[in-house]
Amino acid sequence: MTVFRPAEAADLPKIIELLKAQDFYNEGVTLGKIMLALEGQEIVGLANERSINGLTELTHVVVLPEYRKKHIASTLVKKILEQTKTDVYLNTIIPEFFIKLGFNPTKDFSTQYAKPEGLCEDCFPERCTAMVKRKTK
């Protein structure tokens, strides 16, 4: 059974190990409030929420390949959204996944947000979509 909980300081080495193993680790990216998905003691997924330039950004939605298609990623995102009090922005190459969770494409994110140098070098910038989930009042 998958258990979801906020990360603790003691989880950081395993978080970095997971991010590196899945090619999601970037020295220039700041980790913030991280929600974990665990099977026993093993971290099988995570989602990171951080504040940058006054905006809330969702980053690093990562699930180990053998645990995909089990609603872990969508549950991680929903748990992050539950604890966030502001609009949530993200950049993604899989917008169809986030549309199902209530995100919409946006243009205003890229004008307020400067990506860290080199962030998209190994990604697919031509496929990258900026999205937002507006917090309802």
Side-chain angles (χ1 to χ4, degrees), residues 5 11 28 46 63-64 93 106 128:
R5 69 164 173 81
D11 297 317
L46 64 86
V63 176
L64 291 174
I93 61 170
T106 184
C128 193

Side-chain angles (χ1 to χ4, degrees), residues 65-96:
E66 60 270 29
Y67 291 93
R68 293 180 186 159
K69 306 288 184 194
K70 297 182 179 186
H71 304 285
I72 292 173
S74 59
T75 302
L76 285 164
V77 172
K78 289 174 185 175
K79 291 199 173 285
I80 290 282
L81 293 172
E82 286 171 7
Q83 68 186 19
T84 305
K85 295 178 178 28
T86 62
D87 295 348
V88 177
Y89 293 84
L90 59 85
N91 286 301
T92 184
I93 61 170
I94 53 169
E96 55 282 350

Side-chain angles (χ1 to χ4, degrees), residues 1 7 20 23 25-26 28-29 42 56 72 88 93-94 96 110 116 120 127 133 135:
M1 184 172 111
K20 285 181 177 179
D23 289 329
Y25 187 71
N26 181 313
V29 174
E42 180 184 14
T56 300
I72 292 173
V88 177
I93 61 170
I94 53 169
E96 55 282 350
S110 58
C120 292
R127 290 178 40 207
K133 167 91 166 119
K135 195 67 172 184

